[in-house]
Amino acid sequence: MWESFLEFCSWFFVTGDPLIYGAMVSIALTMVAIVFVLTKYKKWGWLWREWLTTVDHKKIGIMYLIASLLMLFRGGVDAILMRVQLAFPNLEFLHSDHYNAIFTTHGTIMILFMAMPMMFGLFNMVVPLQLGARDVAFPFLNAVSFWLFMFGAMLFNLSFVIGGSPDAGWLSYPPLSQNEFSPGPGQNFWIWGIQISGIGSLATGINFIVTILKMRAPGMKLMKMPMFSWSVFSSCIMIILAFPILTVTIALLYLDRFAGAHFFTMDGGGNPMMYLNLIWMWGHPEVYIVVVPAFGIFSEVVATFAKKKLFGYKSMVAAVMGIAILSFFTWAHHFFTMGTSASVIAFFAITTMLIAIPTGVKVFNWLFTMYRGKISFKQPMMWTIAFIPCFVVGGATGVMLSVAPADYQYHNSYFLIAHFHQVLIGGVVFGYLAGIYYWWPKLFGFKLDEKLGAWGFWLWNIGFYVCFMPQYALGFMGMTRRYYTYGWDYGWESLNLVSTVGAFLMGAGFVFQVWQILYSIKHGERDTTGDPWNGRTLEWSIPSPAPFYNFAVVPQVKETDDFWRVKEEKANGTYKEEPVHLEPIHMPKNSGLPFIMSVFWFIAGFGFVWEWVWMAAIGMIGVFLTMWARSFQYDTDYYVPVDEVRRTEASLGRVY
Amino acid sequence: MSGGKWLRRLQFGVLATLASVLLAGCGSDYVVLNPKGPVAGTQYDLIMISIILCAVIVVPVIALTAFIVYRYRDTPDNKATYKPNWDHSTTLEIIWWGIPIVIIAILGYFTVRDTYALKESPNKEVKPITVQVTSLDWKWMFTYPEQNIATVNYLQIPAGVPVQFHLSAEAPMNSFWVPELGGQIYAMSGMTTELYLQADEPGEFQGRGANFTGEGFAHMNFNVKATTQEEFDQWVKEVKGTTPAMTKEDYEQLKKPGLTEVATYSSFPEGLFEEIVAKYGHGHPVDASEIRTYGDKKDETSAPQMPNMNMTPGMNH
């Protein structure tokens, strides 16, 4: 009995690597610490009532943000480990298998479990406030989305200590990702971690499209909607068109692995190349899904801190919507080298180049928003200004990559690695950080410390260039991605070492940011006005942190930057005070079902991963039971009485 | 903090790094920037054209950013114009929709031209030799159908003669790359891809796999040796005279996952490459004469034939 238990453990857990034993111990200690703190301070009930069952978009946004920062840490540690392994030739710090697992999880986590939730966090934190709405269109579904993401991410991360990490690259190209070459549960963890969180992403896409179309404050025509909400709209359209492709594609891959189907296998009539086409039909729009909201953030930040209207609003709208359409016609540029006909290659090369046009236009519009403005260099603006040169260079190398015959020389080389890190870090990460710094006071009621933030900013920026500029050169030196080691013969050693130093600088930047958050919780400048940056849009018209119902009175919108208009009219005395009277506010009730349903998804996913059908069945039955329970729930909403609204507002310093 | 000061510092950092990269590009370690054949030469020219065209936008934009950020900083002594409601100018917007369109049109022209050109042999005067490339876990097998010899992890070619590669795999897909001679192409099971390369002068070049194939991927390097035609013929003769023949069993042994040393074989089982392709070719027999590339005009205009359809990636089913 004991022996068979030990044997079970030896394949169930990942064994044999001191790094992983260390991780197991630290995970166990963290869990114990969390349980201890929650029990000691009697916080279990609070956790359940305030967080696990919440349908408040702001709290969901905060949970997304915390989860994404944890994932940024995990993905960042992966990156540091890789850079250490590559710092010197022939280093034996990581074995091939371990290195392969690490770059696979680094890519998957950074895109799907870091960028996506950070983006969803910003959607949740900002969009309803910007639109003058009290919540998203489907608050319950929003909670479902979050918990599906959370449990999907947990399932994926579990593979690190249980069963073994996937190691076939972040997009798991078959035939490498098939049973024949990747036996064991690792690849299944990849499939089910993404599958479960992907359902959540699709639901979020639907939720925010409906929110934007149906929940805008009266008077806010689409063409008067703030630019960030426009970018969210564009991103969500891409989500609902692209994510079903991902779901189907990896479901087919799972059928190959689990049921012996032959969709993408090498033999039996399978076609691995089909998978490449399908996965990139999702994968290319995916990068625009994450970068377009960053463009929206920059548009808000630039107008606020240049104290000037956004230049070329109509152009900007045309550009984000144009990018949403074009993004679906470029996928084959990820494999120009597959040897298809010249006509196909030429088509995809041209469509790829076309994307540079609306993107370039946006850069000019941001620049001319600053032109004849008055620029103050607060943290969100610093990240925005740093973004422009970084993204312009990254965009230019993107155009270089789109030149198909030249791409034959860049493909899968470090030139490509440098390019996509430059647009994803310079564009997406800088953008989201700008957004987090910008909207932080609205969510938490205090600003993040400027001085520690400056340390973080400079370490990130210098570290970025030190890390990735040498990688362009390494690409020209013929260094291929996903090498776990290299010899002395190629002259790659010095630039690799420089690059590793850069990675550590960025890591240090992240440490400063964590310190900054912890420090600011206690010492950060409190925001008592609700409008710490002299903002332009509706979210700044309400107190910070925003009350749970957001707006005591739904605003009447007249202009694009409506709050700016109100402030201007008040300043020059033309503002007409409308008599306000409070009404009971209709709000959704909390529900534990999203959490419970996602736990069942997790159980089902775990069963699917190990191909334990009984466990998968239990999980799926649980999922359907919770859906069934939900469909007979009629008591899902309530009204906040006027008295309570008045009391809450008074406690926030607003008298009605 | 003064906005101009830190931005200038940033600019300087970026430009210095870029300059050092480009200057260092003269070194011979920069294999992509040291073309040793007409294909790599075409690609080098395209790389340079695209760098210049991109610089036409990038440099002024970065300069403009620095200027605007400095000029319009919000400090008490800054007397620059402030127009908070100026948010539209049709002329300006036409200009910056127009500039990228022009640049992309120029770049698009060169791209399309060379995309078609590289599908053809780079040297029409000389009859190309054919080499079949098979990617295995984790080694490269080269079979020379005209010479009837085979090598592993080593490729020898005559200089000045275009080489027509047919590529396939009996393992996860890889990408065949000899940077000094020209860009890469995928090697995939159940289909063949085609690539022309040519070395202008005798020399030794590094070749490698560029698409991740698992545990031994980092070791899939091989040497490419270009010699004169006479030396090449001499080498073929030597290989034929002194090295063992590859049998079916040898191949079965070779394709097992693992690393191997360089090897040469005086012959290989007839039709080995075609068999490897056909084996995963969706059950349809593939005739050697049917093995063409996707870009082949004849295939596109003729009625669809099953064996050819097999070779079009992503177009099946």
Side-chain angles (χ1 to χ4, degrees):
Chain A
M1 182 65 197
W2 177 245
E3 244 127 66
S4 59
F5 175 72
L6 281 185
E7 200 206 310
F8 169 80
C9 288
S10 73
W11 56 262
F12 187 71
F13 292 105
V14 178
T15 50
D17 193 313
L19 279 173
I20 290 178
Y21 288 135
M24 283 176 178
V25 171
S26 53
I27 290 171
L29 286 177
T30 315
M31 302 278 245
V32 170
I34 291 173
V35 171
F36 176 77
V37 169
L38 285 172
T39 313
K40 172 143 194 236
Y41 295 99
K42 300 199 174 64
K43 288 289 187 187
W44 286 102
W46 165 82
L47 183 70
W48 178 257
R49 281 190 308 274
E50 296 288 320
W51 297 96
L52 303 188
T53 60
T54 187
V55 293
D56 180 343
H57 67 95
K58 299 177 289 298
K59 285 187 175 168
I60 289 174
I62 290 169
M63 290 193 288
Y64 267 124
L65 182 63
I66 293 169
S68 66
L69 289 176
L70 287 175
M71 289 294 106
L72 179 60
F73 174 74
R74 158 88 210 264
V77 170
D78 283 346
I80 298 268
L81 290 175
M82 283 192 280
R83 283 317 316 170
V84 169
Q85 166 66 15
L86 293 178
F88 298 99
N90 302 328
L91 214 59
E92 286 179 23
F93 172 64
L94 298 173
H95 301 295
S96 172
D97 282 351
H98 197 173
Y99 185 87
N100 298 342
I102 285 178
F103 72 64
T104 301
T105 53
H106 168 76
T108 311
I109 285 177
M110 286 303 202
I111 295 285
L112 287 153
F113 301 123
M114 187 283 282
M116 291 294 281
M118 204 180 270
M119 173 180 89
F120 290 147
L122 285 159
F123 285 13
N124 271 292
M125 282 159 31
V126 181
V127 171
L129 299 180
Q130 223 173 28
L131 299 180
R134 270 154 185 167
D135 207 317
V136 294
F138 310 117
F140 178 88
L141 184 67
N142 199 23
V144 172
S145 288
F146 172 75
W147 289 110
L148 285 178
F149 148 72
M150 194 63 203
F151 281 99
M154 275 159 63
L155 184 64
F156 182 84
N157 278 280
L158 208 56
S159 67
F160 181 48
V161 288
I162 291 177
S165 293
D167 58 358
W170 84 279
L171 283 182
S172 288
Y173 282 8
L176 186 60
S177 57
Q178 296 284 7
N179 277 334
E180 191 183 351
F181 302 100
S182 300
Q187 213 49 52
N188 293 345
F189 272 114
W190 183 88
I191 291 171
W192 284 98
I194 293 177
Q195 200 66 297
I196 291 172
S197 69
I199 299 167
S201 303
L202 181 59
T204 305
I206 295 167
N207 210 341
F208 278 86
I209 286 186
V210 179
T211 304
I212 286 168
L213 290 179
K214 303 297 287 182
M215 308 275 289
R216 299 189 311 279
M220 185 186 280
K221 303 238 169 53
L222 271 177
M223 288 310 280
K224 286 182 178 165
M225 188 164 72
M227 206 53 222
F228 177 68
S229 292
W230 263 112
S231 71
V232 172
F233 188 56
S234 160
S235 176
C236 288
I237 288 176
M238 290 188 273
I239 288 176
I240 62 166
L241 292 175
F243 267 77
I245 308 177
L246 175 72
T247 304
V248 170
T249 308
I250 60 178
L252 296 180
L253 181 64
Y254 185 72
L255 283 178
D256 279 4
R257 291 179 58 86
F258 171 69
H262 287 282
F263 291 105
F264 310 123
T265 52
M266 232 162 82
D267 58 351
N271 189 343
M273 206 60 220
M274 186 66 151
Y275 179 93
L276 263 73
N277 275 287
L278 289 171
I279 200 82
W280 282 115
M281 279 182 205
W282 160 78
H284 199 80
E286 167 64 16
V287 297
Y288 291 102
I289 287 169
V290 293
V291 81
V292 163
F295 294 164
I297 293 168
F298 294 127
S299 304
E300 301 290 342
V301 168
V302 121
T304 301
F305 292 93
K307 302 171 198 70
K308 186 160 163 283
K309 256 175 131 166
L310 181 68
F311 197 88
Y313 176 85
K314 284 181 188 157
S315 263
M316 292 297 239
V317 171
V320 288
M321 296 315 284
I323 290 172
I325 294 163
L326 278 174
S327 72
F328 282 91
F329 296 93
T330 63
W331 78 87
H333 72 217
H334 294 274
F335 39 89
F336 279 146
T337 55
M338 76 168 168
T340 186
S341 73
S343 322
V344 172
I345 294 176
F347 173 82
F348 282 101
I350 299 295
T351 53
T352 305
M353 289 178 189
L354 288 180
I355 291 217
I357 298 168
T359 313
V361 166
K362 297 179 77 68
V363 172
F364 283 113
N365 279 334
W366 290 317
L367 285 177
F368 276 76
T369 305
M370 292 191 275
Y371 182 75
R372 293 182 178 166
K374 266 180 185 298
I375 305 166
S376 38
F377 299 94
K378 294 286 191 271
Q379 289 179 83
M381 191 61 175
M382 297 277 277
W383 287 96
T384 304
I385 295 171
F387 147 83
I388 291 176
C390 192
F391 194 78
V392 166
V393 172
T397 55
V399 171
M400 287 171 69
L401 279 156
S402 73
V403 180
D407 176 75
Y408 304 160
Q409 288 280 38
Y410 308 131
H411 184 77
N412 274 354
S413 77
Y414 265 81
F415 188 90
L416 170 78
I417 302 296
H419 158 73
F420 73 68
H421 281 92
Q422 186 152 20
V423 285
L424 285 173
I425 294 178
V428 177
V429 176
F430 284 19
Y432 292 179
L433 287 174
I436 290 169
Y437 284 116
Y438 182 55
W439 282 298
W440 186 277
K442 184 49 61 193
L443 266 289
F444 297 97
F446 61 89
K447 283 186 184 176
L448 288 168
D449 185 68
E450 287 279 339
K451 203 165 173 194
L452 287 169
W455 275 98
F457 173 83
W458 286 108
L459 283 166
W460 262 99
N461 269 275
I462 296 166
F464 171 80
Y465 289 99
V466 174
C467 185
F468 290 105
M469 292 302 115
Q471 294 190 7
Y472 281 116
L474 284 167
F476 284 133
M477 294 168 104
M479 183 164 169
T480 300
R481 72 192 294 196
R482 295 175 174 177
Y483 271 178
Y484 78 98
T485 189
Y486 55 91
W488 288 95
D489 336 355
Y490 312 119
W492 297 345
E493 58 277 355
S494 44
L495 286 172
N496 268 301
L497 183 59
V498 172
S499 180
T500 300
V501 171
F504 275 96
L505 290 176
M506 281 193 278
F510 179 72
V511 171
F512 269 99
Q513 289 178 310
V514 173
W515 181 13
Q516 176 193 25
I517 291 174
L518 297 177
Y519 176 86
S520 307
I521 290 174
K522 208 149 182 177
H523 307 285
E525 184 192 331
R526 304 291 125 167
D527 170 31
T528 51
T529 60
D531 183 21
W533 310 116
N534 194 6
R536 313 176 69 83
T537 39
L538 290 179
E539 69 269 31
W540 305 111
S541 68
I542 56 175
S544 304
F548 66 96
Y549 48 75
N550 297 350
F551 293 87
V553 180
V554 172
Q556 291 283 333
V557 175
K558 297 203 176 95
E559 296 278 337
T560 311
D561 294 338
D562 201 65
F563 183 50
W564 185 262
R565 169 191 67 87
V566 170
K567 284 193 283 188
E568 272 200 327
E569 286 183 1
K570 278 183 179 163
N572 60 29
T574 55
Y575 182 70
K576 273 196 233 103
E577 198 85 44
E578 308 262 335
V580 288
H581 55 276
L582 295 177
E583 282 171 18
I585 295 173
H586 185 210
M587 293 300 289
K589 273 191 176 164
N590 283 1
S591 170
L593 284 177
F595 182 82
I596 295 165
M597 181 172 145
S598 303
V599 170
F600 281 118
W601 263 113
F602 181 84
I603 293 167
F606 198 76
F608 283 125
V609 165
W610 289 92
E611 304 185 1
W612 296 337
V613 177
W614 58 269
M615 194 176 182
I618 292 174
M620 290 315 293
I621 290 169
V623 169
F624 286 110
L625 282 180
T626 43
M627 284 184 181
W628 184 78
R630 173 65 184 176
S631 52
F632 290 99
Q633 243 178 22
Y634 299 108
D635 180 24
T636 57
D637 50 354
Y638 71 107
Y639 280 88
V640 185
V642 171
D643 274 356
E644 191 187 335
V645 176
R646 189 169 284 127
R647 259 199 324 274
T648 314
E649 290 293 311
S651 74
L652 294 164
R654 311 234 165 166
V655 182
Y656 286 94
Chain B
M1 193 177 327
S2 142
K5 202 166 108 204
W6 65 259
L7 199 89
R8 271 199 306 274
R9 231 183 276 151
L10 180 71
Q11 301 285 104
F12 178 77
V14 179
L15 291 177
T17 324
L18 278 179
S20 62
V21 166
L22 291 175
L23 288 177
C26 309
S28 62
D29 283 339
Y30 288 79
V31 283
V32 171
L33 304 178
N34 279 288
K36 295 288 163 57
V39 175
T42 306
Q43 288 162 341
Y44 175 83
D45 293 343
L46 272 179
I47 291 172
M48 288 303 145
I49 290 170
S50 59
I51 288 180
I52 291 164
L53 284 173
C54 286
V56 169
I57 296 241
V58 169
V59 174
V61 167
I62 291 180
L64 189 65
T65 310
F67 167 74
I68 289 177
V69 169
Y70 178 73
R71 183 80 184 84
Y72 297 100
R73 70 199 187 283
D74 186 6
T75 49
D77 57 333
N78 189 358
K79 298 279 180 279
T81 332
Y82 173 50
K83 288 193 169 177
N85 290 318
W86 182 67
D87 71 337
H88 180 71
S89 156
T90 310
T91 328
L92 280 174
E93 291 196 55
I94 287 173
I95 291 173
W96 58 66
W97 279 95
I99 296 173
I101 289 174
V102 172
I103 301 266
I104 293 304
I106 300 170
L107 197 57
Y109 163 75
F110 288 113
T111 301
V112 173
R113 186 193 69 182
D114 289 344
T115 300
Y116 281 91
L118 287 185
K119 287 281 171 188
E120 314 267 324
S121 168
N123 183 349
K124 299 273 166 39
E125 277 114 61
V126 183
K127 186 181 170 299
I129 75 158
T130 303
V131 177
Q132 297 161 330
V133 183
T134 310
S135 169
L136 300 171
D137 269 346
W138 291 278
K139 70 276 290 180
W140 292 96
M141 181 178 78
F142 302 101
T143 44
Y144 295 68
E146 287 145 17
Q147 287 75 18
N148 190 30
I149 56 166
T151 60
V152 174
N153 288 342
Y154 174 73
L155 176 66
Q156 185 154 340
I157 54 170
V161 179
V163 185
Q164 187 186 25
F165 293 96
H166 292 292
L167 302 97
S168 193
E170 187 160 8
M173 65 179 72
N174 207 323
S175 191
F176 171 84
W177 190 23
V178 186
E180 283 149 298
L181 300 186
Q184 57 198 289
I185 198 149
Y186 278 2
M188 299 170 283
S189 58
M191 42 183 119
T192 49
T193 45
E194 188 178 85
L195 176 70
Y196 283 102
L197 293 178
Q198 178 184 314
D200 285 334
E201 304 289 335
E204 294 212 28
F205 317 108
Q206 1 164 330
R208 60 177 56 98
N211 196 62
F212 179 63
T213 53
E215 195 187 341
F217 164 69
H219 303 289
M220 287 186 71
N221 307 313
F222 55 95
N223 251 352
V224 183
K225 190 172 177 187
T227 60
T228 60
Q229 183 72 51
E230 294 74 46
E231 279 170 314
F232 178 77
D233 294 339
Q234 185 60 37
W235 172 75
V236 171
K237 213 179 271 172
E238 243 179 67
V239 169
K240 279 193 167 310
T242 58
T243 60
M246 181 197 286
T247 60
K248 278 259 152 124
E249 291 71 48
D250 290 336
Y251 175 72
E252 292 301 318
Q253 207 56 40
L254 190 65
K255 82 173 193 200
K256 286 187 183 155
L259 304 180
T260 35
E261 296 294 302
V262 171
T264 43
Y265 298 93
S266 59
S267 70
F268 59 90
E270 205 193 328
L272 177 64
F273 181 77
E274 290 78 4
E275 235 172 73
I276 294 168
V277 177
K279 192 168 166 189
Y280 302 104
H282 306 208
H284 304 284
V286 179
D287 185 339
S289 66
E290 297 281 8
I291 295 176
R292 293 203 203 99
T293 51
Y294 323 122
D296 214 320
K297 281 278 175 339
K298 279 165 284 184
D299 291 344
E300 288 176 353
T301 48
S302 66
Q305 299 161 351
M306 288 314 288
N308 286 337
M309 295 266 299
N310 287 337
M311 275 157 252
T312 313
M315 300 296 164
N316 288 290
H317 309 294

